[in-house]
Amino acid sequence: MFDGFAEDRVPAGDVDLLVRHGGSGPAVLLLHGHPRTSATWHRVAPLLVERGFTVVCPDLPGYGRSGKPVPAPGHEPHSKRAVAERLRTAMRALGHERFGVAGHDRGSYAALRLALDHPDVVDRVALLDCLPISEHLARADARFATAWWHWFFYAQPGIPERVITADPDAWYRGDPEVMGPENHAEWRAAVRDPEVVRGMLEDYRAGLTVDRRDEEADRAAGRRVEPPLLVLWSTRDDLEQLYGDPLRIWRDWARDVRGHGIDSGHHVAEEAPGPLTEALAAFFAG
């Protein structure tokens, strides 16, 4: 994986981040989702390098081989605001003062917070399989609770750690043929680490508390995403089935928004790297 990329530990404030980076040209930061690591981008990142970009793929704080923030009762160390600040610090350490960012799943919330809090450093932002957390919760009905019950299970104190670490292979299932054997091996090692499991759960706990409050404060203050926004969603996942056209919701959050669905299951970087790369490359090229 990641032939020609460097792999470094990069200082990001209170933790270091494991970062893969390579290429030349405009910088693009790729943020993975749950329960993946930066290795989920192993098919997309080289294609973007071929298209003339510098590509940076970190393990998010708390995930994979990156540093693990110390949990707090209010979950602030795992908030997307704290994650965004760490990512900005790491990008600056790598020499990138301005960059594009694409986030998938939980990584999309960090990308959204980067765009909201730091529009001076984010040129363009792409969000994959994403609606704001507060928009999900405002629409939470029986269908949402049935399909996305894990949000509320992960928020329970202590219980999910015990359940998941008892048999992580049974809880998290992955197919090495679909994921790629090296990506699968890295992912499997991560989910078998109790510190990673705790970090991932704290991400969700922050989502339902401090992150939701931050988003609601943004809406009350009339803040919007200022950089151009690309919204992509997997048509064989359930975002469109739950809410209809996601762009309709995102137009209340961004001044310049466009996007479309991609024929894929949820892990689009692994399942549809070609169409995803084409969409991202065209968008980040401006």
Side-chain angles (χ1 to χ4, degrees):
M1 296 188 298
F2 294 93
D3 185 34
F5 279 64
E7 184 177 295
D8 293 305
R9 298 200 68 84
V10 178
D14 59 337
V15 298
D16 289 348
L17 301 185
L18 186 284
V19 177
R20 294 166 156 119
H21 56 106
S24 60
V28 176
L29 175 65
L30 301 181
L31 305 177
H32 65 85
H34 170 268
R36 296 305 203 249
T37 72
S38 56
T40 196
W41 299 106
H42 71 103
R43 292 173 177 143
V44 171
L47 296 176
L48 286 173
V49 167
E50 290 176 6
R51 298 290 293 267
F53 295 96
T54 296
V55 179
V56 180
C57 303
D59 287 357
L60 290 171
Y63 286 73
R65 289 178 284 161
S66 281
K68 310 297 185 287
V70 178
H75 312 296
E76 289 85 357
H78 292 81
S79 71
K80 306 311 166 289
R81 175 158 281 148
V83 171
E85 184 60 41
R86 295 182 185 108
L87 292 168
R88 185 180 74 152
T89 299
M91 289 297 281
R92 183 173 294 161
L94 290 170
H96 306 301
E97 294 293 336
R98 290 185 62 84
F99 50 89
V101 57
H104 176 252
D105 186 80
R106 302 305 293 183
S108 68
Y109 298 127
L112 173 61
R113 183 50 57 190
L114 267 168
L116 285 168
D117 287 0
H118 305 291
D120 55 322
V121 304
V122 175
D123 285 323
R124 290 172 170 252
V125 56
L127 303 177
L128 285 56
D129 290 327
C130 174
L131 288 181
I133 292 169
S134 56
E135 296 284 1
H136 280 296
L137 296 177
R139 292 165 172 78
D141 57 12
R143 288 194 311 153
F144 176 81
T146 300
W148 292 45
W149 61 273
H150 61 285
W151 274 27
F152 309 104
F153 175 65
Y154 290 166
Q156 304 307 309
I159 297 172
E161 280 93 339
R162 295 198 299 272
V163 172
I164 295 170
T165 58
D167 192 350
D169 289 338
W171 187 266
Y172 290 120
R173 296 183 178 90
D175 184 338
E177 289 191 16
V178 174
M179 297 176 65
E182 293 175 277
N183 176 30
H184 179 269
E186 181 172 311
W187 159 83
R188 188 167 181 261
V191 300
R192 293 165 70 88
D193 181 344
E195 291 297 310
V196 172
V197 171
R198 184 180 70 168
M200 294 192 295
L201 294 173
E202 282 295 314
D203 175 359
Y204 280 85
R205 290 164 181 151
L208 295 185
T209 54
V210 59
D211 294 333
R212 179 186 185 178
R213 292 194 297 269
D214 285 344
E215 289 184 5
E216 290 172 343
D218 292 331
R219 298 299 292 141
R223 299 179 68 204
R224 306 181 80 184
V225 175
E226 298 294 341
L229 169 62
L230 175 68
V231 176
L232 301 172
W233 60 93
S234 306
T235 58
R236 287 185 268 126
D237 201 7
D238 60 2
L239 196 68
E240 201 170 12
Q241 287 71 33
L242 285 170
Y243 305 117
D245 182 3
L247 297 180
R248 177 179 55 83
I249 297 171
W250 276 110
R251 289 190 182 105
D252 289 335
W253 283 80
R255 302 186 188 282
D256 178 357
V257 57
R258 80 290 305 264
H260 57 84
I262 292 178
D263 181 18
S264 175
H266 180 62
H267 294 288
V268 58
E270 297 166 3
E271 299 176 38
L276 176 59
T277 298
E278 289 302 313
L280 294 177
F283 175 66
F284 287 121

